Amino acid sequence: MKNTTKKQSYILVLDWMVDKYHLKGNELLAYALIYGFSQDGDSEYKGSFSYLTRWLGADRATIIRVLKRLESKGLISKRQELVAGQMVNRYVAEVPEEVKGTVESKAETPENPAESHPPDQWQNATSRKTPLVAKRHGG
């Protein structure tokens, strides 16, 4: 039996990214990726353009345009840093004020996210619990 470690990576798209910022497509994915790296308020996205091209499935020119659009909308901040004689970009996602409080109070979030989020009335067409189906014997 072979012992292998499975690497799992993901991008988390939060409702406010769509509802508050009206992001979609590549802008949404790029913002969500940068937010994932910078959401603690101290860190920043330090990855390369090739990392973004892989995640977004887009070419370098598209990635540069997307980042410029996000920056011009004030949704990300860019700073440049000299590393080993080469200028590199660092990005931080800006977060709406009303979301900052919820991000900072993560420690108070219950283990089960369903406990803090009201049920969606459209998930279950019946407004009550579905009764168990009785077993029927015979024909």
Side-chain angles (χ1 to χ4, degrees), residues 28-125:
L28 175 60
L29 291 176
Y31 178 85
L33 190 145
I34 292 168
Y35 173 78
F37 282 94
S38 63
Q39 65 183 315
D40 66 2
D42 294 323
S43 304
E44 55 193 6
Y45 174 74
K46 297 178 181 181
S48 64
F49 285 127
S50 61
Y51 185 81
L52 287 166
T53 61
R54 191 182 86 204
W55 272 94
L56 276 64
D59 59 33
R60 182 182 172 92
T62 300
I63 297 301
I64 291 169
R65 277 193 306 276
V66 165
L67 294 174
K68 284 183 179 180
R69 277 196 306 261
L70 290 171
E71 191 177 5
S72 71
K73 292 178 179 181
L75 301 181
I76 62 172
S77 297
K78 175 179 131 179
R79 74 175 185 88
Q80 293 187 314
E81 180 179 36
L82 191 62
V83 176
Q86 186 175 5
M87 196 61 74
V88 294
N89 298 324
R90 307 294 192 211
Y91 296 94
V92 173
E94 300 300 326
V95 181
E97 284 302 317
E98 60 270 21
V99 173
K100 282 184 183 178
T102 59
V103 170
E104 291 167 359
S105 65
K106 271 187 182 178
E108 300 169 17
T109 304
E111 287 283 323
N112 182 357
E115 292 173 9
S116 65
H117 197 303
D120 183 353
Q121 66 177 348
W122 300 109
Q123 281 184 331
N124 184 354

Side-chain angles (χ1 to χ4, degrees), residues 6-23:
K6 188 174 183 179
K7 183 179 176 184
Q8 295 183 358
S9 299
Y10 59 92
I11 296 174
L12 182 61
V13 174
L14 300 169
D15 59 349
W16 56 265
M17 295 175 184
V18 176
D19 296 341
K20 174 78 175 160
Y21 286 163
H22 309 289
L23 294 172

